[in-house]
Coordinates of all heavy atoms in Angstrom, one line a residue:
T1 N 0.9 -1.2 0.0 CA 0.0 0.0 0.0 C 0.9 1.2 0.0 O 1.9 1.3 0.7 CB -0.9 0.0 1.3 OG1 -1.7 -1.2 1.3 CG2 -1.8 1.2 1.2
I2 N 0.5 2.2 -0.8 CA 1.3 3.4 -0.9 C 1.1 4.3 0.3 O 0.0 4.7 0.6 CB 1.0 4.2 -2.2 CG1 1.4 3.3 -3.4 CG2 1.7 5.5 -2.3 CD1 0.9 3.9 -4.8
L3 N 2.2 4.7 1.0 CA 2.1 5.6 2.1 C 2.4 7.0 1.7 O 1.8 7.9 2.2 CB 3.1 5.1 3.2 CG 2.9 3.7 3.7 CD1 4.0 3.3 4.7 CD2 1.5 3.5 4.3
M4 N 3.4 7.1 0.8 CA 3.8 8.5 0.3 C 4.6 8.3 -0.9 O 5.2 7.3 -1.2 CB 4.6 9.3 1.4 CG 5.9 8.6 1.8 SD 6.7 9.4 3.2 CE 7.0 11.0 2.6
I5 N 4.7 9.4 -1.7 CA 5.5 9.4 -2.9 C 6.1 10.8 -3.0 O 5.7 11.7 -2.4 CB 4.6 9.1 -4.2 CG1 3.6 10.2 -4.4 CG2 4.0 7.7 -4.2 CD1 2.8 10.1 -5.7
N6 N 7.2 10.8 -3.8 CA 7.9 12.1 -4.0 C 7.4 12.8 -5.2 O 6.6 12.2 -6.0 CB 9.4 11.9 -4.0 CG 9.9 11.3 -5.3 OD1 9.1 10.6 -6.0 ND2 11.2 11.4 -5.6
P7 N 7.8 14.1 -5.4 CA 7.2 14.8 -6.6 C 7.5 14.2 -7.9 O 6.7 14.3 -8.9 CB 8.0 16.2 -6.5 CG 8.2 16.3 -5.0 CD 8.5 15.0 -4.5
A8 N 8.7 13.5 -8.1 CA 9.0 12.8 -9.3 C 8.0 11.7 -9.6 O 7.6 11.5 -10.8 CB 10.4 12.2 -9.3
A9 N 7.5 11.0 -8.6 CA 6.5 10.0 -8.7 C 5.2 10.6 -9.1 O 4.4 10.0 -9.9 CB 6.4 9.1 -7.5
E10 N 4.9 11.7 -8.5 CA 3.6 12.4 -8.8 C 3.6 12.8 -10.3 O 2.6 12.6 -11.0 CB 3.5 13.7 -8.0 CG 3.2 13.4 -6.5 CD 3.0 14.7 -5.7 OE1 3.9 15.6 -5.8 OE2 2.0 14.8 -5.1
E11 N 4.8 13.3 -10.8 CA 4.9 13.6 -12.2 C 4.8 12.4 -13.1 O 4.1 12.5 -14.2 CB 6.2 14.3 -12.5 CG 6.4 14.8 -13.9 CD 7.7 15.5 -14.1 OE1 8.4 15.9 -13.1 OE2 8.1 15.8 -15.3
L12 N 5.4 11.3 -12.7 CA 5.3 10.1 -13.5 C 3.9 9.6 -13.6 O 3.5 9.2 -14.7 CB 6.2 9.0 -12.8 CG 6.3 7.7 -13.5 CD1 7.0 7.7 -14.8 CD2 6.9 6.6 -12.6
L13 N 3.2 9.6 -12.5 CA 1.8 9.1 -12.4 C 0.8 10.1 -12.9 O -0.4 9.7 -13.1 CB 1.5 8.6 -11.0 CG 2.3 7.5 -10.4 CD1 1.9 7.3 -9.0 CD2 2.1 6.2 -11.2
K14 N 1.2 11.3 -13.1 CA 0.3 12.4 -13.4 C -0.9 12.5 -12.4 O -2.1 12.6 -12.7 CB -0.3 12.2 -14.8 CG 0.7 12.1 -15.9 CD 1.4 13.5 -16.1 CE 2.3 13.5 -17.3 NZ 3.5 12.6 -17.2
S15 N -0.5 12.3 -11.1 CA -1.4 12.3 -10.0 C -0.8 12.8 -8.8 O 0.4 12.8 -8.6 CB -2.0 10.9 -9.8 OG -3.0 10.9 -8.9
S16 N -1.6 13.3 -7.8 CA -1.1 13.8 -6.6 C -0.9 12.8 -5.5 O -1.4 11.7 -5.6 CB -2.1 14.9 -6.0 OG -3.3 14.3 -5.6
Q17 N -0.1 13.1 -4.5 CA 0.2 12.2 -3.4 C -1.1 11.8 -2.7 O -1.4 10.6 -2.4 CB 1.2 12.8 -2.4 CG 1.5 11.9 -1.3 CD 2.7 12.3 -0.6 OE1 3.3 11.5 0.2 NE2 3.3 13.5 -0.8
E18 N -2.0 12.8 -2.5 CA -3.3 12.5 -1.9 C -4.1 11.6 -2.6 O -4.9 10.7 -2.0 CB -4.0 13.9 -1.7 CG -3.4 14.8 -0.7 CD -2.1 15.5 -1.2 OE1 -1.9 15.5 -2.4 OE2 -1.3 16.0 -0.4
A19 N -4.1 11.6 -4.0 CA -4.9 10.8 -4.8 C -4.4 9.3 -4.8 O -5.3 8.4 -5.0 CB -5.0 11.3 -6.2
V20 N -3.1 9.1 -4.6 CA -2.6 7.7 -4.7 C -2.4 7.1 -3.3 O -2.2 5.8 -3.2 CB -1.3 7.7 -5.5 CG1 -1.5 8.2 -6.9 CG2 -0.2 8.4 -4.8
R21 N -2.3 7.9 -2.3 CA -2.1 7.3 -0.9 C -3.2 6.3 -0.6 O -4.4 6.6 -0.7 CB -2.0 8.4 0.1 CG -1.6 7.9 1.5 CD -1.6 9.0 2.5 NE -0.6 9.9 2.3 CZ -0.8 11.2 2.1 NH1 -2.0 11.7 2.0 NH2 0.3 12.0 1.9
G22 N -2.8 5.1 -0.1 CA -3.7 4.1 0.3 C -4.0 3.1 -0.8 O -4.7 2.1 -0.6
R23 N -3.6 3.4 -2.1 CA -3.8 2.5 -3.2 C -2.6 1.5 -3.3 O -1.5 1.7 -2.7 CB -4.0 3.2 -4.5 CG -5.2 4.1 -4.5 CD -5.4 4.8 -5.8 NE -5.6 3.8 -6.9 CZ -5.8 4.1 -8.2 NH1 -5.7 5.3 -8.6 NH2 -6.0 3.1 -9.1
K24 N -2.8 0.4 -3.9 CA -1.7 -0.6 -4.1 C -0.8 -0.2 -5.3 O -1.3 0.3 -6.3 CB -2.3 -2.0 -4.4 CG -3.2 -2.5 -3.3 CD -2.5 -2.8 -2.0 CE -3.4 -3.4 -1.0 NZ -2.7 -3.6 0.3
C25 N 0.5 -0.4 -5.1 CA 1.4 0.0 -6.2 C 1.2 -0.8 -7.5 O 1.3 -0.2 -8.6 CB 2.9 -0.2 -5.7 SG 3.3 -1.9 -5.3
F26 N 0.8 -2.0 -7.4 CA 0.6 -2.8 -8.6 C -0.6 -2.4 -9.4 O -0.7 -2.6 -10.6 CB 0.6 -4.3 -8.3 CG -0.3 -4.7 -7.1 CD1 -1.7 -4.9 -7.3 CD2 0.2 -5.0 -5.9 CE1 -2.5 -5.2 -6.2 CE2 -0.6 -5.4 -4.8 CZ -1.9 -5.5 -5.0
E27 N -1.6 -1.8 -8.7 CA -2.8 -1.3 -9.4 C -2.4 -0.1 -10.2 O -2.8 0.0 -11.4 CB -3.8 -0.8 -8.4 CG -4.5 -2.0 -7.6 CD -5.5 -1.4 -6.6 OE1 -5.7 -0.2 -6.5 OE2 -6.0 -2.3 -5.8
L28 N -1.6 0.8 -9.7 CA -1.2 2.0 -10.4 C -0.1 1.7 -11.5 O -0.2 2.4 -12.5 CB -0.6 3.0 -9.4 CG -1.6 3.7 -8.4 CD1 -0.9 4.6 -7.4 CD2 -2.6 4.5 -9.2
L29 N 0.8 0.8 -11.2 CA 1.9 0.6 -12.2 C 1.7 -0.5 -13.2 O 2.2 -0.4 -14.3 CB 3.2 0.3 -11.4 CG 3.7 1.5 -10.5 CD1 4.9 1.0 -9.7 CD2 3.9 2.7 -11.2
H30 N 0.9 -1.5 -12.8 CA 0.7 -2.6 -13.7 C -0.8 -2.8 -14.1 O -1.1 -3.7 -14.9 CB 1.2 -3.9 -13.0 CG 2.6 -3.8 -12.6 ND1 3.6 -3.9 -13.6 CD2 3.2 -3.7 -11.4 CE1 4.8 -3.8 -13.0 NE2 4.6 -3.6 -11.7
G31 N -1.7 -2.0 -13.5 CA -3.1 -2.1 -13.9 C -3.7 -3.5 -13.5 O -4.6 -4.0 -14.2
S32 N -3.2 -4.1 -12.4 CA -3.6 -5.5 -12.1 C -4.1 -5.5 -10.6 O -3.9 -4.5 -9.9 CB -2.4 -6.4 -12.2 OG -1.4 -6.1 -11.3
Q33 N -4.7 -6.6 -10.3 CA -5.2 -6.8 -8.9 C -4.3 -7.5 -8.0 O -4.6 -7.8 -6.8 CB -6.6 -7.5 -9.0 CG -7.7 -6.7 -9.7 CD -7.9 -5.3 -9.1 OE1 -8.1 -5.2 -7.9 NE2 -7.8 -4.3 -10.0
S34 N -3.1 -7.9 -8.5 CA -2.1 -8.6 -7.7 C -0.7 -8.3 -8.3 O -0.6 -7.9 -9.5 CB -2.4 -10.1 -7.8 OG -2.3 -10.6 -9.1
P35 N 0.3 -8.5 -7.5 CA 1.7 -8.1 -8.0 C 2.1 -9.1 -9.1 O 1.7 -10.3 -9.1 CB 2.6 -8.4 -6.7 CG 1.6 -8.4 -5.6 CD 0.3 -8.9 -6.1
P36 N 2.9 -8.6 -10.0 CA 3.4 -9.5 -11.1 C 4.4 -10.5 -10.5 O 5.0 -10.3 -9.4 CB 4.2 -8.5 -12.0 CG 4.5 -7.3 -11.2 CD 3.4 -7.2 -10.2
K37 N 4.6 -11.6 -11.2 CA 5.5 -12.7 -10.7 C 6.9 -12.2 -10.4 O 7.5 -12.7 -9.5 CB 5.5 -13.8 -11.7 CG 4.2 -14.6 -11.9 CD 4.3 -15.7 -12.9 CE 3.0 -16.4 -13.0 NZ 3.1 -17.5 -14.0
E38 N 7.4 -11.3 -11.2 CA 8.8 -10.9 -11.1 C 9.0 -9.7 -10.1 O 10.0 -9.2 -10.0 CB 9.4 -10.5 -12.4 CG 8.7 -9.2 -13.1 CD 7.5 -9.6 -14.0 OE1 6.9 -10.7 -13.7 OE2 7.2 -8.9 -14.9
C39 N 7.9 -9.4 -9.3 CA 8.0 -8.3 -8.4 C 9.1 -8.5 -7.4 O 9.2 -9.5 -6.7 CB 6.6 -8.2 -7.6 SG 6.6 -6.9 -6.3
P40 N 10.0 -7.5 -7.3 CA 11.1 -7.6 -6.4 C 10.7 -7.4 -4.9 O 11.5 -7.9 -4.0 CB 12.1 -6.5 -6.8 CG 11.2 -5.5 -7.5 CD 10.1 -6.3 -8.1
L41 N 9.6 -6.8 -4.7 CA 9.2 -6.6 -3.3 C 8.9 -7.9 -2.6 O 9.2 -8.1 -1.4 CB 7.9 -5.7 -3.2 CG 7.6 -5.2 -1.8 CD1 7.0 -3.8 -1.9 CD2 6.6 -6.1 -1.1
K42 N 8.3 -8.9 -3.3 CA 8.0 -10.2 -2.8 C 9.3 -10.9 -2.4 O 9.4 -11.5 -1.3 CB 7.2 -11.0 -3.8 CG 5.8 -10.5 -4.0 CD 5.0 -11.5 -4.8 CE 5.5 -11.7 -6.2 NZ 4.6 -12.7 -7.0
R43 N 10.3 -10.8 -3.2 CA 11.6 -11.4 -2.9 C 12.3 -10.7 -1.7 O 12.9 -11.3 -0.9 CB 12.5 -11.4 -4.1 CG 12.0 -12.1 -5.3 CD 13.1 -12.5 -6.3 NE 14.0 -11.3 -6.6 CZ 13.8 -10.5 -7.6 NH1 12.7 -10.6 -8.3 NH2 14.6 -9.5 -7.8
M44 N 12.1 -9.4 -1.7 CA 12.7 -8.6 -0.6 C 12.2 -9.0 0.8 O 12.9 -9.1 1.8 CB 12.5 -7.1 -0.9 CG 13.2 -6.2 0.1 SD 12.1 -4.8 0.6 CE 10.9 -5.6 1.6
L45 N 10.8 -9.2 0.8 CA 10.2 -9.7 2.1 C 10.8 -11.0 2.5 O 10.8 -11.3 3.8 CB 8.7 -9.7 1.9 CG 8.0 -8.4 1.8 CD1 6.5 -8.6 1.5 CD2 8.2 -7.5 3.0
M46 N 11.2 -11.8 1.6 CA 11.7 -13.2 1.9 C 13.2 -13.1 2.3 O 13.6 -13.7 3.3 CB 11.5 -14.1 0.8 CG 10.1 -14.4 0.5 SD 9.9 -15.6 -0.9 CE 10.7 -17.0 -0.3

């Protein structure tokens, strides 16, 4: 879940921090309901 983003991320997403806070990163970046198989965050948690 997105807690905060910097201005460069706001520019990339064409959206404000307030609009994306609380949403899942994979929804915004991959347009999916779950992380992609190659997601590095899943490996990082392990």
